[in-house]
Amino acid sequence: MRLPRRLGCAPRRMRVTTSVVGAQHARPAGEAERLAHDVVAALRGTLPGLPPSERRIAEHVIAHPAAVVDQTITELAASCSTSIASVVRFCRHVGFAGYREFRRALASSVGRDEVSLSRFGVSDSDIDPGDSARDVIAKLAFHEARSIEATAEGLDADELDRIVEAVVAAPRIDVYGVASSGLAATDLQHKLHRIGLTSYYWSDVHLALMSASVLEPGCIAIGFSHSGLTVEIAEFLAAARRAGATTALVTNFRNSPMRENADHMLTTSTSETAYRPGNMSSRIAQLAVVDFLFVRIAQRLYRSSEPELQATYDAVQPHRLDKGRPRSAG
């Protein structure tokens, strides 16, 4: 039988952490393979950490991926008003051995997008002012599906399980998110609470800071920030880490400065359009990460989570209009 979770935290003990901060160009094993699944999405995630000349290259590739596939390294350098050496550095910075490997991966990524666009019945993914309702639905469906696919393909499964293990062992879990990222944070807290894990989401900045400051080793704080630049989330994670808790960050930008206060980090992969800014594109990918985390946690706590899910389901049945009907997913 699982012992009930108490509101306090475990006694202080030495904490072993896995730092995500390393050499600027260091890439974990298999990173190139993950980047190759969706090169354009991966480039969006590296933009904040690139120097100006390499950022110009990345922005050009993001804007014209199909054209870059047909360009030589000399032509790409000329298109970006930079040098061949800068292109080589750029390729290595984003995880590839050189331009040939980068262009091969980009070609595969472009090819997959073309197949996906065909599946949704559209020729391009950009939304125009004159698009019909059906076109908008198809193009947004393409972007939503692609965000989930790209996030799933690029997600570090080992890092996911490290966070899961920390959550399962934690006597208390804090979850942070503001604005649109707050939707994912509240969803995770809600799911964790349903299976009996002591978890909190704070919408007030002062309350979140106070909560983070009294966490202890053994507790975990998980922050959501699509931009990787949200001041409040950075402060919450820093306070939690100073208190001795394990910290995790979910962001779209792997070079986020917030990683300095994150023992673990998961990255989403999303794209934006003129009518679909970051706060919209981030939501579906973050919610997918929440589901990945929750299902892995529920697997680890299967014996205890199943009856608790049933108990929480049963508790609200008297408040449903269809009460008495067989159990359904909703």
Side-chain angles (χ1 to χ4, degrees), residues 114-158:
E114 289 175 350
V115 171
S116 186
L117 283 167
S118 176
R119 188 170 75 247
F120 283 92
V122 292
S123 58
D124 66 86
S125 61
D126 291 331
I127 298 175
D128 298 318
D131 280 344
S132 67
R134 179 53 57 190
D135 289 337
V136 170
I137 291 170
K139 290 181 178 182
L140 284 177
F142 163 78
H143 281 292
E144 299 285 327
R146 194 70 195 99
S147 291
I148 295 175
E149 289 175 356
T151 295
E153 290 165 353
L155 204 67
D156 187 333
D158 292 333

